[in-house]
Amino acid sequence: MDATAIVLSARLALLTLLLLLPPAILAAHWLAVTPRKSKAWIEGLLALPLVLPPTVIGYYLLVAMGSQSPPGRWFEALAGHPLAFSFSGLVVASVIFNIPFAVQPIQRAFEAIAPDIREAAQCCGLTFWQAFRRIELPLAWPGILSASVMTFAHTLGEFGVVLMVGGNIPGETRTVAISIYDKVQSFDHASAGAMSLLLLLISLLTISVSYGLAGRLSRRRRAT
């Protein structure tokens, strides 16, 4: 068991979730209340990571993070090291690659809220942010929970983008997925199997808990 890679993957998944979830909630709400004709291209752009090969996304991110690009030069001047092949680069790449996994479940949850509820909130004198915080966020909570679980679990097992952007630097960019690949390459099938089983159990546990909580919230909402 590569404990360092497991801890690094968990830290990457947690940071990705914390950085991505707040803007994903706002973007999902905007997409949910905006007329469809004016948002088709934006929805398509946000969904690109679902259909593009991870190596393609990783290549473009690697080019953007390189020392020859303005973002890469700016970060290198600020932090003192290149963004590519660093943990910071992994976080940036992971946030971008997980955008559809975070936005789409929350968008569907906001779209399921009846327009009458928003109109009733306005009639009661609630401002946009008051209605958003007190009414819409609680109603969209199952979608937010699903998005959180999917983002965390997907980040734990990501391989292609991580390898392209971060390489395989022990303690810095070697995640558990890359460590499993290394173990297989070195014919250490016992370690590869143990870490694969760990990822399987974590994914199954998080998804099961998500479905259980979402179902409980839905039953409670129908009962009230």
Side-chain angles (χ1 to χ4, degrees):
M1 295 288 282
D2 191 343
T4 303
I6 294 172
V7 172
L8 189 144
S9 295
R11 187 158 61 99
L12 176 63
L14 183 60
L15 279 174
T16 299
L17 180 60
L18 293 177
L19 291 173
L20 181 57
L21 191 60
I25 292 174
L26 297 178
H29 184 270
W30 181 83
L31 290 170
V33 300
T34 301
R36 182 164 296 277
K37 289 183 179 180
S38 59
K39 66 181 181 181
W41 286 99
I42 299 177
E43 286 183 314
L45 180 64
L46 295 179
L48 272 179
L50 292 175
V51 296
L52 281 178
T55 50
V56 173
I57 300 176
Y59 169 75
Y60 283 115
L61 288 174
L62 183 61
V63 171
M65 295 177 186
S67 300
Q68 302 302 318
S69 68
R73 288 196 299 267
W74 176 82
F75 182 86
E76 188 170 353
L78 184 66
H81 62 83
L83 186 58
F85 304 108
S86 68
F87 182 77
S88 301
L90 287 189
V91 173
V92 173
S94 182
V95 167
I96 294 174
F97 189 66
N98 279 286
I99 285 175
F101 297 94
V103 172
Q104 289 188 358
I106 304 176
Q107 179 184 348
R108 302 296 174 256
F110 280 126
E111 288 175 343
I113 300 175
D116 295 344
I117 295 179
R118 297 187 176 96
E119 295 173 2
Q122 293 176 352
C123 293
C124 292
L126 295 179
T127 65
F128 169 81
W129 289 110
Q130 286 174 333
F132 179 75
R133 180 171 56 88
R134 298 179 184 179
I135 299 175
E136 295 192 61
L137 274 182
L139 291 176
W141 175 245
I144 297 174
L145 180 62
S146 297
S148 302
V149 171
M150 290 176 62
T151 300
F152 186 87
H154 184 255
T155 304
L156 278 181
E158 175 50 36
F159 178 78
V161 171
V162 169
L163 185 62
M164 290 289 291
V165 173
N168 187 4
I169 305 174
E172 179 71 19
T173 62
R174 179 188 287 174
T175 62
V176 64
I178 296 176
S179 181
I180 291 172
Y181 177 78
D182 285 344
K183 299 297 184 184
V184 173
Q185 290 293 100
S186 61
F187 300 101
D188 187 358
H189 295 291
S191 298
M195 288 188 288
S196 297
L197 179 61
L198 178 63
L199 282 185
L200 174 63
L201 293 176
I202 292 175
S203 300
L204 179 61
L205 176 63
T206 53
I207 292 174
S208 299
V209 170
S210 171
Y211 283 160
L213 291 177
R216 184 180 302 176
L217 288 172
S218 299
R219 289 191 297 270
R220 185 180 302 174
R221 187 184 304 169
R222 288 194 297 266
T224 56

